Amino acid sequence: MESWRFDPLCIAEDGPTVNAASERQDKFRIKMLMRDGERRRETDLLIQKRYAWRGYGQVGVADEPNQLTMNAELFGRVYATVTVNVDSPAGLALDATYGAEAARLRSQGAKLCEFGRFAIDPSARSKRLIISLVHLLYIYAHRVKGCTDILIEINPRHRAFYERLLEFEQIGAERTCERVNAPAILMHISCAKIERRLNEIGGKWRELPDEKSAYKFALSAEEEEELVARLGY
C-alpha cells in the first residue's frame, strides 16, 4: 500500500450548500490517509463524532492490509472520509451481519469490496465532494484491485441517499449490526454499472442540471484514464 501515490486532487464545489470556512479561496484536497499521525487521529475523531451523533456505538480503528482510506481536507482539516476494504481470506466486516449474502455473490464469481467508515462534516455537504471520494475508491477497487462488486452496510434511514445519488440497490433485509448496535441493511452495486454510468454522465453536471445521480459530478472518462495513467497501474 505504501507504493500507492496520489498527488492531492483539488475538487471544486457544486453549489452554495457547501459553507465550510465560507471565507476561503481554496478547494478541497483529496488525499490518501497514512497509517498513523495526526490525520489518522483526526479522521477517527470525525467518524466517532458523526456516528455518536446518530446514536451508533463506537467504531473500531480501521487497519487492514487490503484497505484504503481517502480524505477530503481543507486548510489542514479533515471534512470527509470513506474507506474501502478489498475482500480477502479474512473476509469483510459485513460478513458478521450479511455473511450469506456475501457468500452468494462470491459463489457467483464476484470479487467483493466493502465501502465503509463514511463520515462527512455537516458544514461540508457536497455531491461533488462525495462522488469524488467514491470515484477514487472505485478506481482503486476496480481498476487496481480487480473488484467486480461493491457492498455497503448502512442504517436504513440512509437508504434513499444511496439509491438516488449513488444508485445502490438493497440486497439484504434489515438486521442489527452488532459492531455499532444499530439497524442495518445491505446495499450493492456492480462495478460494471458504475463504469457504465460514468461513461454516460461522468463530468457532465453542467449539461445535465436535472440529473439526480451524483455520477454526473464524477471525473469524466478521459480524466479517469489520465489519473490511472499517472498512478502507473
Side-chain angles (χ1 to χ4, degrees):
M1 196 71 71
E2 287 71 20
S3 64
W4 179 265
R5 295 179 297 105
F6 266 118
D7 290 334
L9 177 66
C10 291
I11 302 298
E13 320 316 343
D14 57 295
T17 56
V18 183
N19 52 33
S22 58
E23 73 281 1
R24 72 178 183 268
Q25 300 298 317
D26 205 351
K27 298 176 181 179
F28 284 108
R29 295 163 72 83
I30 307 298
K31 298 181 179 180
M32 185 185 75
L33 180 65
M34 297 296 103
R35 290 189 176 275
D36 52 24
E38 185 61 31
R39 287 294 179 272
R40 166 68 67 180
R41 290 185 288 274
E42 187 178 350
T43 300
D44 290 337
L45 179 60
L46 173 63
I47 293 170
Q48 299 295 355
K49 286 173 63 177
R50 299 310 300 159
Y51 276 50
W53 183 82
R54 286 291 189 183
Y56 305 155
Q58 290 289 307
V59 182
V61 176
D63 190 19
E64 300 295 334
N66 292 323
Q67 172 181 287
L68 182 74
T69 295
M70 298 300 297
N71 283 350
E73 301 179 11
L74 180 67
F75 297 150
R77 176 182 167 187
V78 176
Y79 277 90
T81 183
V82 65
T83 294
V84 61
N85 287 318
V86 176
D87 202 10
S88 71
L92 301 169
L94 60 78
D95 280 310
T97 311
Y98 292 102
E101 288 82 355
R104 183 172 64 250
L105 289 170
R106 292 181 183 110
S107 70
Q108 296 169 354
K111 182 173 181 179
L112 304 178
C113 66
E114 176 181 10
F115 282 15
R117 294 174 60 83
F118 171 63
I120 184 167
D121 189 289
S123 67
R125 294 189 179 277
S126 162
K127 293 177 183 177
R128 185 175 301 170
L129 181 61
I130 293 169
I131 196 60
S132 296
L133 290 168
V134 169
H135 193 171
L136 290 174
L137 291 189
Y138 155 80
I139 290 173
Y140 172 74
H142 179 56
R143 301 290 300 272
V144 177
K145 290 296 187 179
C147 294
T148 62
D149 294 78
I150 300 169
L151 298 173
I152 187 166
E153 188 178 359
I154 64 167
N155 190 292
R157 73 179 70 174
H158 304 311
R159 174 179 173 176
F161 168 84
Y162 285 94
E163 287 182 333
R164 183 177 67 254
L165 295 181
L166 299 177
E167 303 184 29
F168 278 75
E169 297 179 356
Q170 182 178 345
I171 63 168
E174 182 174 329
R175 296 170 192 162
T176 298
C177 175
E178 300 295 340
R179 298 193 310 280
V180 296
N181 192 30
I185 56 175
L186 184 65
M187 306 290 286
H188 165 266
I189 190 170
S190 70
C191 291
K193 180 177 180 178
I194 293 180
E195 183 176 14
R196 175 173 58 81
R197 293 297 281 151
L198 290 172
N199 288 333
E200 290 173 348
I201 65 174
K204 297 180 179 179
W205 58 277
R206 290 186 180 89
E207 299 97 310
L208 301 171
D210 297 326
E211 172 62 56
K212 302 301 182 183
S213 173
Y215 291 109
K216 70 179 181 180
F217 293 111
L219 298 173
S220 67
E222 294 77 14
E223 289 170 331
E224 179 181 315
E225 290 302 328
E226 290 177 5
L227 178 58
V228 172
R230 189 178 81 188
L231 295 172
Y233 287 96

